[in-house]
Amino acid sequence: MSTKLSIILGLILFSVSPFSGDCRTLSRKHDHNSSSLYGFNSQDTMRFGSVSSSTSNDCGFSSKEHDPAKEHTRESVKLHLRRREIKQETKRTTHSVVDLQIQDLTRIQTLHARFKKSKKQRNEKVKKKITSDISLVGAPEVSPGKLIATLESGMTLGSGEYFMDVLVGTPPKHFSLILDTGSDLNWLQCLPCYDCFHQNEAFYDPKTSASFKNITCNDPRCSLISSPEPPVQCKSDNQSCPYFYWYGDRSNTTGDFAVETFTVNLTTTEGRSSEYKVENMMFGCGHWNRGLFSGASGLLGLGRGPLSFSSQLQSLYGHSFSYCLVDRNSDTNVSSKLIFGEDKDLLNHTNLNFTSFVNGKENSVETFYYIQIKSILVGGEALDIPEETWNISPDGAGGTIIDSGTTLSYFAEPAYEIIKNKFAEKMKENYLVFRDFPVLDPCFNVSGIEENNIHLPELGIAFADGAVWNFPAENSFIWLSEDLVCLAILGTPKSTFSIIGNYQQQNFHILYDTKMSRLGFTPTKCADI
């Protein structure tokens, strides 16, 4: 058989516990006939939706203020994502535990916790919208171009996340940040670091940067971080704005809310390359940080909220960004791409489809990218799933989001049960159904069948506005061995979110257009971009 995506899976004692410091990973032997997901952490503690609130907790720190420069240019951004080389092969063992499901379920638990926290905050106050202070980058003075940076996949480090390299401060210093469409706050581990996790680079030191500036507690931007519980009184004009950003599973970052200069590489439409300084970027300077980050220095948010990297840079690149994730059988030297700004090649693609984001839901979480499913198709057949299964309930529960950090796709009950049973029904006539595997279900024994004769049903999603997203079979199945293939979809309780994860998104160019409030998608060989 040709190259297959292989994972060694064992028994999982299902228990999604609060944050734990232990990190279990798994790798499979890598040879010329196989590739792998390489390994996954037992928990994805600082991913998936986030809850923020401000609290004192002795977290306020004041630093000398500096006046940043004011010159700005408008450009678009193009970033490359690449895999890290495998540092060490590990021996295959049938008793090893892959924590893929636990990692994703931790994210789902976190997301649900954020919903409950956000609902409570909405009942307490209406958050101020400070649009005049969000777009701090100046208006465009030149034609749009491409801003190119390097990102890495964390697959070989036991993580399904993607890493973006940025230069922070004056003079600029290098940091690797996790990219997250499920949260908003950009933050770095900062000195003095009182309780921090391991990172590969030196900690960011605000005292060594001439462009660092604390946001004070009476600054209007301080209200973008939710009020503390109970609220902390602002006693002086130079008191810093402390933040506490909670991710639902005891993972958190705590420190000072501040602004800083981020430096990126700029390539214009004419092909010229230079460095570009993005000034006054709001971020969290974290002095207490808990979570598993695979050596990253912090997090770069791409959510819909006002604090995210994408929201703050709208005056620079406009209101859209896109990414194209190479499939996991690709060579480690092949790059995935993240593009900020208008991508004309994508917009001119003949197979580009759009579906609208769900907007205006009173109780939905503003960070996430909601989309409205109407029905699911398996092998071209529309399934009889009640449409209300896909709706956001009056209290804000449910709905469907697309997320770059969750690995597999998860559908709420009863949809998941109906979907997996339909796959089993369509395949049982030609393949033996394997039901003894404790994690993925159903699985199919295809031993003795030539690869060209193996036919797997394809998954499709029909949206309420008429758009249809059809996924090739390789995006919906995982090969556990040369003879065993399993459905790469799992379920969640009815009251939680359904999620389209990044495994299903591979080899699609996906566009987030917040101005038109729509999601674009088209099949693309991402390695060729």
Side-chain angles (χ1 to χ4, degrees):
M1 280 188 175
S2 63
T3 303
K4 299 290 187 181
L5 178 63
S6 302
I7 310 175
I8 306 165
L9 294 161
L11 280 172
I12 287 183
L13 298 177
F14 176 70
S15 174
V16 180
S17 60
F19 168 76
S20 170
D22 103 301
C23 173
R24 301 180 298 263
T25 62
L26 170 75
S27 299
R28 76 174 299 282
K29 190 172 182 180
H30 190 75
D31 56 42
H32 69 282
N33 283 325
S34 63
S35 62
S36 71
L37 291 180
Y38 302 129
F40 292 87
N41 287 332
S42 61
Q43 300 192 41
D44 197 359
T45 56
M46 292 297 290
R47 299 280 307 140
F48 218 66
S50 55
V51 179
S52 66
S53 63
S54 175
T55 181
S56 59
N57 289 337
D58 299 322
C59 304
F61 290 87
S62 299
S63 297
K64 185 178 180 179
E65 298 184 358
H66 302 272
D67 293 326
K70 305 295 183 182
E71 297 179 6
H72 306 294
T73 357
R74 170 172 184 145
E75 302 294 342
S76 60
V77 184
K78 186 174 184 179
L79 306 121
H80 295 268
L81 297 88
R82 56 183 172 84
R83 288 187 174 87
R84 297 182 179 181
E85 293 183 359
I86 302 174
K87 296 181 179 179
Q88 182 177 358
E89 297 179 344
T90 56
K91 184 177 180 181
R92 180 186 300 193
T93 167
T94 56
H95 299 289
S96 296
V97 177
V98 169
D99 296 300
L100 170 61
Q101 186 184 28
I102 293 179
Q103 176 179 337
D104 279 348
L105 290 174
T106 300
R107 290 171 59 80
I108 295 171
Q109 178 191 46
T110 302
L111 205 165
H112 188 63
R114 181 177 197 273
F115 154 69
K116 293 189 292 184
K117 183 75 172 180
S118 297
K119 183 178 179 181
K120 180 179 180 182
Q121 290 171 348
R122 283 192 298 268
N123 292 335
E124 292 174 349
K125 73 169 189 175
V126 178
K127 183 182 287 189
K128 297 180 182 178
K129 300 296 182 182
I130 317 174
T131 55
S132 61
D133 287 324
I134 298 306
S135 298
L136 296 175
V137 180
E141 296 180 0
V142 297
S143 60
K146 299 288 185 182
L147 190 67
I148 303 176
T150 299
L151 292 113
E152 299 179 276
S153 169
M155 296 292 293
T156 59
L157 302 177
S159 168
E161 297 143 336
Y162 292 93
F163 294 75
M164 176 178 175
D165 292 332
V166 296
L167 294 170
V168 180
T170 305
K173 295 183 179 180
H174 172 272
F175 298 95
S176 181
L177 305 181
I178 292 173
L179 213 64
D180 188 5
T181 59
S183 61
D184 295 328
L185 181 68
N186 312 304
W187 60 270
L188 287 165
Q189 295 201 107
C190 292
L191 294 176
C193 222
Y194 298 105
D195 186 4
C196 295
F197 52 85
H198 169 76
Q199 68 180 51
N200 295 330
E201 300 96 1
F203 292 126
Y204 167 77
D205 187 354
K207 292 182 179 180
T208 64
S209 174
S211 50
F212 175 85
K213 183 179 180 181
N214 263 320
I215 293 175
T216 61
C217 58
N218 59 5
D219 189 308
R221 292 170 294 182
C222 189
S223 65
L224 292 172
I225 298 291
S226 301
S227 60
E229 299 175 358
V232 175
Q233 184 179 359
C234 184
K235 297 180 180 180
S236 65
D237 291 340
N238 61 356
Q239 180 179 331
S240 63
C241 175
Y243 77 88
F244 173 65
Y245 213 73
W246 176 59
Y247 291 81
D249 57 355
R250 295 186 183 179
S251 301
N252 57 76
T253 174
T254 303
D256 293 325
F257 197 35
V259 293
E260 182 56 286
T261 295
F262 283 54
T263 302
V264 286
N265 294 321
L266 176 69
T267 302
T268 67
T269 52
E270 293 79 18
R272 295 190 300 271
S273 180
S274 63
E275 288 188 346
Y276 182 78
K277 296 185 182 298
V278 182
E279 299 166 347
N280 294 319
M281 173 67 67
M282 290 181 288
F283 81 112
C285 188
H287 303 290
W288 291 266
N289 312 288
R290 293 286 183 92
L292 301 176
F293 295 92
S294 303
S297 302
L299 187 142
L300 201 71
L302 291 179
R304 300 187 74 179
L307 295 180
S308 73
F309 187 74
S310 51
S311 293
Q312 293 192 61
L313 293 184
Q314 285 180 356
S315 63
L316 175 66
Y317 64 82
H319 296 260
S320 66
F321 67 91
S322 65
Y323 54 72
C324 199
L325 307 178
V326 298
D327 69 81
R328 291 180 169 87
N329 285 328
S330 298
D331 187 271
T332 55
N333 294 323
V334 176
S335 296
S336 297
K337 282 83 181 177
L338 174 67
I339 302 169
F340 282 88
E342 184 177 279
D343 188 321
K344 293 182 179 179
D345 291 337
L346 174 59
L347 293 175
N348 292 330
H349 200 293
T350 55
N351 294 321
L352 180 62
N353 289 296
F354 290 99
T355 187
S356 299
F357 289 129
V358 178
N359 295 315
K361 296 290 185 179
E362 181 180 353
N363 289 316
S364 61
V365 183
E366 69 172 349
T367 298
F368 305 113
Y369 295 95
Y370 290 88
I371 46 183
Q372 186 64 55
I373 293 178
K374 180 180 180 181
S375 64
I376 298 294
L377 300 92
V378 174
E381 179 184 348
L383 307 188
D384 186 16
I385 300 172
E387 287 192 29
E388 57 266 23
T389 304
W390 311 112
N391 296 336
I392 300 174
S393 66
D395 65 355
T400 303
I401 68 168
I402 180 169
D403 182 61
S404 66
T406 305
T407 306
L408 303 182
S409 289
Y410 291 77
F411 292 111
E413 296 292 2
Y416 169 63
E417 195 72 21
I418 297 172
I419 292 168
K420 74 172 185 177
N421 288 340
K422 179 56 68 173
F423 272 101
E425 175 188 319
K426 286 186 174 293
M427 293 189 66
K428 68 181 181 181
E429 296 180 0
N430 301 313
Y431 312 102
L432 293 176
V433 180
F434 185 79
R435 291 281 187 177
D436 295 334
F437 194 74
V439 181
L440 301 175
D441 179 42
C443 295
F444 306 94
N445 188 334
V446 296
S447 60
I449 303 175
E450 292 294 328
E451 179 186 5
N452 294 337
N453 295 325
I454 297 176
H455 302 288
L456 306 176
E458 294 185 349
L459 175 74
I461 298 177
F463 297 101
D465 53 12
V468 179
W469 192 348
N470 291 309
F471 301 89
E474 56 264 30
N475 287 33
S476 301
F477 289 88
I478 287 179
W479 290 85
L480 306 185
S481 71
E482 293 295 311
D483 299 326
L484 188 65
V485 61
C486 296
L487 184 65
I489 295 171
L490 291 170
T492 60
K494 185 176 181 179
S495 60
T496 58
F497 297 81
S498 294
I499 307 133
I500 300 176
N502 63 40
Y503 189 83
Q504 277 64 42
Q505 297 175 45
Q506 59 187 347
N507 274 333
F508 280 91
H509 199 161
I510 299 173
L511 169 66
Y512 293 75
D513 184 347
T514 57
K515 184 175 183 179
M516 301 294 291
S517 190
R518 61 184 183 173
L519 177 78
F521 49 91
T522 184
T524 306
K525 189 170 179 56
C526 296
D528 292 341
I529 293 182

